[in-house]
Amino acid sequence: MRRLFFCALSGALFLFVSACSNSEPSVLSVTGSVVFDFQDAESAPASRLAVFVQTDTETQRADRITAVHADSGLSWQIDAPRMISGSDKNWAGYTNLQPAPGEAILKGVYTCQYVDAAGNEASAKVTVKYPDELLTATAETVRTCIQGAVTEYIALYSESGELMFFNKRRNSWHSNADIAKDYRNAYTMRSCLVTANNSIVCLLPPESLKEKSAAE
């Protein structure tokens, strides 16, 4: 799920439409991830909410998902949500739910209502939380703001922005020049810090592999 989820965040989503069925949907779980996107080394990150609902494998194509913050009543309706298919799981959701202007992503419990193409409904809840320090962090201080286990991944993109690689850094990669040798068409690289259950995703600033490899 983690690789598929990041593909969705990166705009390299593999679309999937499941076979039609007359059975009502079953929501197995909901993932709510707060994404902190650092575009440069000095600025605080932009933040957004990504919500994905895991459904059983026999449900109809997703029609819409509504996410409602329990305390405030603030809601988003996701029409025609994006679909991700795993070997035995389907996920439907969206990666760019924006907070109200000038506000941060609200913490707390969200109820997510899933509706399939046949009008069948199911719902589940997810709790969203993150350290307040992340809202004003920089790329240099972000690691000190996250508690608990964090896994770091490397994302490589082509010049057109297509995701070419997403995984942990290889042991043979001691410099950006090493990465550029293995992925000659890679144009930029981003480090991605992910906490347990994808609850927090921090995208560090893009690095130009072409510039770095030439300088090294």
Side-chain angles (χ1 to χ4, degrees):
M1 168 59 186
R2 183 164 289 161
R3 176 179 172 83
L4 290 171
F5 174 78
F6 189 83
C7 285
L9 287 177
S10 304
L13 180 67
F14 295 97
L15 298 181
F16 174 82
V17 178
S18 62
C20 291
S21 167
N22 291 326
S23 61
E24 292 191 359
S26 174
V27 174
L28 305 181
S29 65
V30 180
T31 296
S33 303
V34 184
V35 182
F36 295 91
D37 190 343
F38 295 84
Q39 285 297 314
D40 57 52
E42 295 81 21
S43 303
S47 60
R48 61 185 186 270
L49 180 64
V51 172
F52 278 85
V53 174
Q54 181 194 343
T55 64
D56 58 31
T57 57
E58 297 300 324
T59 56
Q60 298 264 3
R61 177 177 56 83
D63 181 69
R64 66 182 182 277
I65 296 172
T66 302
V68 182
H69 183 251
D71 290 340
S72 69
L74 182 67
S75 66
W76 294 269
Q77 180 167 305
I78 306 164
D79 295 316
R82 296 174 175 178
M83 300 290 293
I84 302 175
S85 174
S87 58
D88 59 351
K89 299 175 182 178
N90 290 335
W91 295 84
Y94 190 60
T95 63
N96 195 27
L97 300 181
Q98 298 287 338
E103 301 292 334
I105 293 295
L106 294 175
K107 301 178 185 179
V109 177
Y110 289 75
T111 298
C112 295
Q113 182 184 50
Y114 171 89
V115 181
D116 70 15
N120 300 313
E121 300 180 5
S123 64
K125 299 180 185 296
V126 64
T127 299
V128 171
K129 56 184 179 180
Y130 58 87
D132 289 337
E133 292 80 3
L134 280 173
L135 296 171
T136 55
T138 65
E140 293 182 353
T141 65
V142 61
R143 288 176 173 82
T144 66
C145 301
I146 305 175
Q147 299 179 348
V150 175
T151 304
E152 182 169 356
Y153 295 89
I154 298 296
L156 302 180
Y157 303 90
S158 67
E159 187 171 3
S160 64
E162 180 183 359
L163 181 67
M164 302 174 59
F165 173 90
F166 179 74
N167 213 324
K168 295 180 182 178
R169 179 185 289 270
R170 294 177 180 175
N171 292 332
S172 59
W173 290 349
H174 302 294
S175 68
N176 286 351
D178 294 332
I179 298 174
K181 289 178 182 177
D182 287 347
Y183 285 86
R184 297 185 181 279
N185 292 327
Y187 197 77
T188 56
M189 175 185 76
R190 297 191 78 172
S191 294
C192 178
L193 309 179
V194 182
T195 62
N197 300 319
N198 296 319
S199 59
I200 297 172
V201 177
C202 296
L203 303 176
L204 299 190
E207 299 180 43
S208 173
L209 288 176
K210 297 304 181 183
E211 292 177 2
K212 290 289 186 180
S213 60
E216 291 174 343

